[in-house]
Amino acid sequence: MLEIEIDGKQTQVPAGSTIMDAAQLVGAYIPHFCYHKKLSISANCRMCLVQVEKAPKPLPACATPVTNGMKVFTHSELAVNAQKGVMEFLLINHPLDCPICDQGGECQLQDLAVGYGGSEARYREDKRVVFQKNVGPLISMQEMSRCIHCTRCVRFGQEIAGVMELGMANRNMHSEIQTFVGRTVDSELSGNMIDLCPVGALTSKPFRYKARSWELSRRKSVSPHDSLGTNLYVQVKNNRVMRVLPRENEDVNECWISDRDRFSYEALNCSDRLLKPMVRVDGSLREVDWSVALDYVAHGLKDVARTHGGNAIASLASPSSTLEELYLLQKLTRGLGSGCVDFRPRRRDFATDAKMVGAPWLGLRLSEIKELDAAVVVGSVLRKDHPLFAQRLRQLARKSGKVSLISVTGDDPLINLNARITVAPSQLPFALAAVVKAVAALKGIETLDELENVQPDAASVSIAESLLADGKKAVFLGNLAEQHPSASTIHVLANELGRLSGAVVGFIGEGANCVGGHLAGALPSSGNAYDMFVEPRKAYILLGVEPELDCHNPGMASAALKQASLVVMLTPFKSQAMLDTADVLLPVAAFTETSGTFVSAEGRIQSVAGVCQTPGDARPAWKVLRVLGNLLDFGGFDQESSEAVRNEIVGNPGEFAGGLDNSVAGVSVRLEAAQMDLQRISDVPIYFADSLVRRANSLQETRDSVSPTARVSAGTLKSLGIADSSLTRVVQSSGETVLSIAVDNAVPFGCVQISAAHASTSMLGDMFGAIKMESA
Amino acid sequence: MTILGAIQPMLTSGLDGDNAWRLEHYLKRGGYSALKKVLAEKISPDEIIGEVKKSGLRGRGGAGFPTGLKWSFMPRDYQGNKYVVCNSDEGEPGTFKDRDILRYNPHSVIEGMAIAGYAMGASCGYNYIHGEIWEIYKRFEEALDEARSAGLLGANILGSGFDFDLFAHHGYGAYICGEETALLESIEGKKGQPRYKPPFPANFGLYGKPTTINNTETFASIPWIVNLGGDAFLNAGKPNNGGTKIFSISGHVNKPGNYEIPLGTPFSTLLEMAGGMRGGRRLKACIPGGSSSPVVPGDVMMQCTMDYDSIAKAGSMLGSGAVIIIDETVCMVKALERLSYFYYEESCGQCTPCREGTSWLYKIVHRIENGNGREDDLELLESITGNIMGRTICALGDAAALPVQSFVKHFRDEFIYHIEQKKCLVPVDIQRAGSGFFSALS
Ligand SMILES: Cc1cc2nc3c(=O)[nH]c(=O)nc-3n(C[C@H](O)[C@H](O)[C@H](O)COP(=O)(O)O)c2cc1C
Ligand code: SF4
Ligand code: SF4
Ligand code: FES
């Protein structure tokens, strides 16, 4: 520890600390722009100059290492003169028109100028003009004359997002922040640069000029999009969500949020909102009162149960539903005598259901990721499925952790990987088995009999070695591993890998309540999310799902719904598909409009309040389900609040849920390579992943939202004998469509990648498995 | 190059004929004998560094930092690569010596760098060559090929077990890439912007490895020191100012060019060597150490000797040894305008005081020169330079401020005249008479 005195206050800091670190410890504020605790130090703004005893010149606090016995003066005449001098330089070329700047009221330059700026400008020359740039639908670079060249945005790209999309071109006062010529900013974390930018140079395109910061009320919330439990501030004006910002939580999202978390709010105000209950009368949907609609549903469900038995009713919920909704839905379904309820619409293999000891989870806390020495991710489009989880692994790899990836395309995770294995989906269990085998061989111990014929290659040995080194290790299973037709085999193999190597095994988890759904018991006792469409039911209750986009086999799901006699949808939105298939549409609250709870991948229980009212006649889904329970005369539907519902399921918000365990007993590994000429790889593009984000206009204009293609390698295309590489007809199960071909050798041979979750592919079959591709 | 009588020139002797730069010629002049001696006699690194310290050799790149001391900063027991880097970026206005060393005597630099590598435990070096002297870059590449084929570079040099390879790297002409850490960034393939120090290159240099950067002329002086000893080098100059040094003389002299003289030689002697003042005019001012060094009035300059200490006493710096001679036909406001434009253009734009301050300085001087000066402009110039100096990431900020301060200090009357009368104190016809361009016309 080093002794340091700042403005007369003594403190001790660890070696390697800077004056800025020490100042923060003693609560001394040193003005700064370029410094940011999560970014590397660049020391370019010079705003943090302070006086250091014995130093002839003022020194930048952010970059000056503390030496023992150092005495620092942050407000001495020398320091303040230096700070004021820098402030004058920052302002000479700055357009001093805060009243018309979108950042006004929340601008660090404006704030500091009050303390350090002069009252009159000595600069009387022409000001610099920097041309605007168009870098895509999310970030506005309309006002680049306001840039103070702090390079926070540049360093964010290089260090946090893993891709340098903005850089400072030119030199001297003509230095400009820009993209590579003609490029847009496409990172899934790009919006954080808006927060980092201390001035009004980078602003939010969707929010720009919509409101002033002081008009907005700031409400706490949690992101519904992925399993991280990202903490948010939702900013509201006149009962309308105007924007979403990160709520710092070092243990969860640090100070970041993904663009999906940030910009999905636009969907709340879209024209697709369902505002009134609707019931199909004589073949067409009519708007009705709630009482009519709920009576209709209660009677309809009772009828089906009476005539066809309880199991003729199936319920399916989105994994982004709240814990309370999932709980009441399964209770209602079971009350009707059905065990057919699920919240995992994209799952295919359910062999581990009822064979698990507890609820599947991440296996460790998010904050423990940085302590890992090695991590292996299996079956994940990391960046797109879990942008901030990927960010944590990126930082781990930047430090010294070894991160390896076993997956089905060669796409760049922007993580400095130790090793990677890219195989066709049908080979994924084999690839994992090879790593298990390699670990067993290296340790000279036995492993599962089923792996007898598996031969490890160099990459699997390299991954095995990383898992056998000393320290903390983890094996993470991604969304794709859970959606995989051999998900249970992958799970058991991962557990075996964990057993042999001492690595923690965890599921990254799909959806905000990937763990919560298990705790709520929204799991089938008969008829899972796939089987409920294989054997079509008479009645379906759908909560927040759009089956043609959210199900593992959308073609099959749509067909099953078509034949059902009663389809009830609880949904914040309406779509043509819903209008075509639903018998009853019940408008429910969207994200931000209802209170509820999410239990994230790491088991963190987080409850949110509704931050604005529901539009039209929409009601929180938990209340709708509760009323339905009452109408059906079921006991246990008398909760006064969502908190009362939650208390029946888990502990208090802020705590970690119990009962989490990834062990499986009695499920065997099945390694059999299905012979397929061509197999499909499905991904769920980041901005198609759930009903909310699909309707967020600006996100829909990004490059991540281009329509799905048939993405194949040149070799595959050649082997298929397709000469014209523009359009192709793809045929799977009973569905077919024409897609344009994208030749990309990142896709393994014998595979075609066709994204799920999009209308243009919703007639196709399983996410994985055989598919045909022919000349269009 | 011209050489001064009694003292044996070190860097420029025997450079006769078109092939003097070739290895064969260098060997004939006794070249590589220092490297051979070091390797054959297994002279210890400490001994070499000690000899360089003794020699009083100070960095020829501008700052005049003692070279032996700099070498001793390199960590000894470091496991992994270390680098020596030669700074041949030579972008300082007025300086044109390094290109001539590389043009006429490239092997002296190669030999010096190899010895430096040996002394500091580095097996790899780079020579970063200014981007606008392409033919010299190519010549240096050829010299490297010669040295490699002769076994003077590469693995196991002359069977000694010492490995040293050297690569040429060319920039694209940005002045800032001469700043040592910007130079390292540029070699790494990044934008040439100075790094904040600490950490210094000796701890965190090229690719994050311990690195020593010296100027071309500094390296070229090493073989001589090894051959004849530190004392001999020191005695060639004067105490604390060892050796000879090449001065690049430009401006209003009859014979501009590079002159190697012992440090401590009177300025008047150097001026004489350069053929004296053109047209016999009066020496108005001299910028003695490259454009970054403060201007010195002519009469003060005439009293100086050419060494670090004497020039420092006169309120300026010996810098890179670029001596810019200014006669009485020059308008000092116009001269400063040109200098300020240079620093404004060449600021890398990274740190606030330099990025914003250099352009502001230029705009004000430009206004004054063009008859739009204001009463408070001189005070403003002084205040702005004060706000730049000592507050930037690299020394370019100071380099931009020093000329402004010194020009305004020594030639205040010309600036005031400009502001008040909206024209030059030096009449235009006199300015024309002094301009090579206009005298060529008449
Ligand atoms: C803006 C700027 C430009 C510089 N340009 C050069 C140059 O062109 N050549 C050079 O040798 N040193 C230059 N230097 C000095 C170098 O940073 C460094 O001090 C020098 O190369 C060290 O070598 P020396 O100790 O042998 O002088 C420059 C410094 C600054 C601040
Ligand atoms: S755009 Fe903003 S964050 Fe980027 S350098 Fe300019 S001021 Fe800094
Ligand atoms: S002083 Fe000037 S040249 Fe040096 S780092 Fe700062 S802006 Fe760049
Ligand atoms: S905050 Fe220290 S230089 Fe910018």
Side-chain angles (χ1 to χ4, degrees), chain B residues 345-367:
Chain B
E345 253 301 319
E346 298 294 339
S347 160
C348 85
Q350 184 179 196
C351 64
T352 307
C354 170
R355 177 185 63 245
E356 305 295 338
T358 53
S359 78
W360 195 1
L361 289 177
Y362 165 66
K363 284 173 181 170
I364 295 172
V365 179
H366 177 75
R367 251 196 310 101

Side-chain angles (χ1 to χ4, degrees), chain A residues 93 122-123 168 170 172, chain B residues 191 345 347 356 363 383:
Chain A
N93 274 305
R122 296 196 294 171
Y123 183 80
M168 198 160 90
N170 307 333
N172 59 51
Chain B
K191 187 178 178 188
E345 253 301 319
S347 160
E356 305 295 338
K363 284 173 181 170
S383 162

Side-chain angles (χ1 to χ4, degrees), chain B residues 290-370:
Chain B
S291 60
S292 316
S293 60
V295 66
V296 178
D299 50 343
V300 179
M301 198 64 210
M302 291 307 286
Q303 308 307 312
C304 289
T305 56
M306 296 308 288
D307 55 78
Y308 296 93
D309 297 340
S310 167
I311 302 289
K313 234 168 81 192
S316 189
M317 304 180 304
L318 193 72
S320 60
V323 181
I324 302 171
I325 303 293
I326 298 171
D327 75 12
E328 59 207 351
T329 65
V330 170
C331 166
M332 296 307 271
V333 180
K334 193 173 208 143
L336 180 63
E337 183 199 18
R338 188 63 192 79
L339 281 177
S340 294
Y341 182 75
F342 174 80
Y343 289 104
Y344 145 65
E345 253 301 319
E346 298 294 339
S347 160
C348 85
Q350 184 179 196
C351 64
T352 307
C354 170
R355 177 185 63 245
E356 305 295 338
T358 53
S359 78
W360 195 1
L361 289 177
Y362 165 66
K363 284 173 181 170
I364 295 172
V365 179
H366 177 75
R367 251 196 310 101
I368 299 175
E369 167 63 17
N370 288 287

Side-chain angles (χ1 to χ4, degrees), chain A residues 141 144 146-154 166 168 177 193 196-199 201-202:
Chain A
M141 291 179 74
M144 290 313 287
R146 304 187 189 279
C147 171
I148 57 166
H149 306 90
C150 69
T151 69
R152 278 183 173 190
C153 55
V154 179
L166 291 179
M168 198 160 90
I177 297 295
M193 295 191 264
L196 286 174
C197 181
V199 293
L202 306 182

